Amino acid sequence: MAQDPGQPIRPLGLTSAQFVEAARARGGSAFAARDEYKALFRDGVVPASWMTIANEADATSDARTSTNCEFTDYPVTATLVEGETSKFVLRLVDPGWNGLETESVLIPMPRASGTTTTLCVSSQIGCSMGCRFCETAQMGLLKNLRADQIVHQWWAGTHRVQRASGNAIKNIVFMGMGEPTDNIDEVIQAIRVLVDHDGAMVPASNISVSTVGNPDGIEKIGQLVRETGFHRLNLALSLNAPNDEIRSAIMPVNKAWPMARLKDALLAFPRFSKAAFCVEYVLIPGVNDADEHCDEVCAFLREIRCSLNVIPYNPRRNSPWPAPEESDVDRFVARAVTNGQFTKRRGTKGRNVMAACGQLGNEHIRNRRLMNEDGTSEPVKPGFVKLGLGNSGLGNSGLPVDPNANRNQA
Ligand code: SAH
């Protein structure tokens, strides 16, 4: 959402028009502001006068400039690489954020025309949805990210992490930590910023928002999609189960928003292009992977124009379930195809660096509390487990799929 006039201007949280307006309201020149905005987004250039000090202790109001523009160059505290997939961590040194960290993943997508890169961003630190299979859910929700902190993941990915590789970020998926519909206003503002023609210029058709299936959130995204320039924004739904009984057992949110409501929300969603919805299905052995489950899912999806994305489960810490066997994933996918459902499977990327779907959220983050199975929590001991290294052989990635590829395999 647009920033409050009393607040410092955070350029990464504003569209170019909002930024120019804010600068003008503070007596700045519109031309200079537009140039600065372009240089920031396109070239990664930060005017020296905007910089706050990238150290929490020093990030006082004195560090802000007379125009009250604030840019904190969040330190990239870790980059973990597995093959060509990398996870990077930004430390939010803003006052009051206590050094909490975002996690984002860069995934290369081989295409006929060359490799493109997809960025998976976090919309929250932690998550409150409680999905039983997800690592992030284990820590509960710590904080909603502001729009500028979401966009900062693209900015740092582009100008700090990825630049040297020469592969620009092409697609952005909201599939990192958090539930986008639980922080929907900031997520929508971040999308407005990311598509801005004077700035990041990411086409809406290259952005996907993935949700546990909050019908109100889906409706809000639908309202954005109705606006010119956003018609081709993609929606992805994490279905993960064939019926309400199984879904409620693994996704507590299903008790509030059962599958029939989800279907209604999807059927009411505006469709401006032929693009199909992406319906994600994390395949968990013994839970939702039987042939009958597959038939039930396909029957549920029959009226919805969608692509079913089968994601092999990546075991979280203390997981009660193993990763599925390859042969079971293949069997499930083949059966869905035979049922007439357009289906793809996701490949394996980033498992060893905890960069795969459902694996984000590192327990060394300051003040983080880990949730126990019984819902109690305990403080994390600093250095208890090093980022991503405490887990080994952790399943497969559910990371985003190149819509043009039949099968993505790391
Ligand atoms: N909250 C959003 C986005 C984050 S999760 C959502 O639920 O869609 C992104 C995707 O990863 C979702 O489809 C989710 O079902 C999947 N996922 C979560 N945990 C996983 C795990 N352990 N293994 C594989 N995929 C997982």
Side-chain angles (χ1 to χ4, degrees):
M1 76 201 68
Q3 290 166 18
D4 192 318
Q7 293 289 311
I9 303 175
R10 296 194 190 95
L12 289 179
L14 296 177
T15 63
S16 134
Q18 289 167 338
F19 177 71
V20 168
E21 186 46 41
R24 267 185 356 109
R26 287 163 165 88
S29 130
F31 285 118
R34 184 163 288 116
D35 284 350
E36 283 175 343
Y37 188 89
K38 276 191 181 157
L40 173 68
F41 279 85
R42 306 245 176 109
D43 308 318
V45 173
V46 184
S49 61
W50 291 6
M51 292 292 281
T52 56
I53 297 160
N55 173 329
E56 193 172 8
D58 298 334
T60 65
S61 54
D62 297 346
R64 289 177 195 147
T65 65
S66 54
T67 56
N68 208 15
C69 214
E70 180 179 289
F71 187 94
T72 306
D73 200 349
Y74 298 134
V76 179
T77 55
T79 311
L80 297 164
V81 180
E82 180 186 334
E84 288 175 327
T85 298
S86 56
K87 173 165 91 173
F88 67 90
V89 172
L90 294 181
R91 177 168 298 152
L92 304 175
V93 292
D94 306 292
W97 283 72
N98 229 359
L100 285 171
E101 292 172 334
T102 63
E103 296 188 11
S104 321
V105 186
L106 288 157
I107 311 116
M109 297 287 182
R111 297 233 172 117
S113 52
T115 299
T116 63
T117 299
T118 293
L119 173 69
C120 179
V121 293
S122 298
S123 55
Q124 299 179 310
I125 298 185
C127 185
S128 65
M129 299 293 118
C131 300
R132 304 268 182 259
F133 44 83
C134 179
E135 179 79 21
T136 310
Q138 303 297 298
M139 63 189 61
L141 176 64
L142 280 92
K143 248 184 189 307
N144 279 329
L145 292 173
R146 294 189 311 252
D148 64 288
Q149 293 168 327
I150 298 172
V151 173
H152 206 120
Q153 297 169 62
W154 170 86
W155 188 86
T158 300
H159 296 297
R160 293 282 182 264
V161 180
Q162 191 70 355
R163 181 168 239 169
S165 78
N167 286 328
I169 292 168
K170 183 158 186 227
N171 300 301
I172 299 178
V173 294
F174 283 81
M175 294 187 189
M177 282 195 287
E179 166 54 31
T181 62
D182 198 31
N183 186 20
I184 192 68
D185 292 338
E186 299 296 321
V187 165
I188 287 178
Q189 174 64 14
I191 294 170
R192 292 188 189 283
V193 175
L194 289 165
V195 303
D196 194 300
H197 287 264
D198 283 333
M201 286 195 302
V202 180
S205 55
N206 291 7
I207 301 178
S208 298
V209 181
S210 177
T211 172
V212 291
N214 168 347
D216 298 335
I218 292 175
E219 201 186 313
K220 280 201 171 168
I221 298 168
Q223 281 163 13
L224 178 67
V225 164
R226 284 193 185 90
E227 289 183 28
T228 307
F230 296 92
H231 290 348
R232 298 189 63 202
L233 182 75
N234 300 289
L235 178 72
L237 169 74
S238 297
L239 184 64
N240 298 337
N243 55 48
D244 281 325
E245 193 189 340
I246 297 178
R247 196 162 192 269
S248 297
I250 57 175
M251 298 177 72
V253 295
N254 193 67
K255 293 176 194 143
W257 308 309
M259 285 170 63
R261 268 196 82 190
L262 284 189
K263 191 191 266 187
D264 289 344
L266 289 185
L267 290 172
F269 195 84
R271 314 292 292 263
F272 288 94
S273 73
K274 290 229 161 63
F277 289 125
C278 169
V279 171
E280 295 153 298
Y281 194 93
V282 179
L283 198 72
I284 311 175
V287 174
N288 62 4
D289 66 338
D291 287 350
E292 311 81 77
H293 296 150
C294 182
D295 297 347
E296 222 177 331
V297 174
C298 295
F300 176 77
L301 296 177
R302 198 143 292 144
E303 296 154 63
I304 303 166
R305 190 171 75 231
C306 68
S307 151
L308 179 65
N309 250 283
V310 178
I311 311 174
Y313 171 59
N314 302 304
R316 60 164 171 82
R317 274 174 305 126
N318 307 322
S319 172
W321 314 291
E325 299 292 337
E326 281 296 298
S327 54
D328 286 327
V329 182
D330 290 344
R331 172 186 48 77
F332 195 92
V333 170
R335 191 167 179 104
V337 171
T338 308
N339 283 337
Q341 171 61 51
F342 182 65
T343 308
K344 294 182 284 194
R345 70 156 280 173
R346 287 197 187 165
T348 301
K349 285 176 177 154
R351 65 171 72 161
N352 292 329
V353 291
M354 290 295 278
C357 252
Q359 292 190 314
L360 297 185
N362 64 82
E363 57 257 60
H364 86 286
I365 290 176
R366 239 179 286 169
N367 289 343
R368 175 160 294 176
R369 298 174 85 84
L370 298 178
M371 301 303 288
N372 295 325
E373 289 291 300
D374 61 2
T376 58
S377 67
E378 56 196 51
V380 178
K381 299 177 202 78
F384 174 57
V385 178
K386 276 200 170 170
L387 179 61
L389 302 178
N391 250 312
S392 59
L394 283 164
N396 313 295
S397 159
L399 289 169
V401 164
D402 174 352
N404 300 321
N406 293 329
R407 187 171 161 134
N408 300 300
Q409 208 56 336

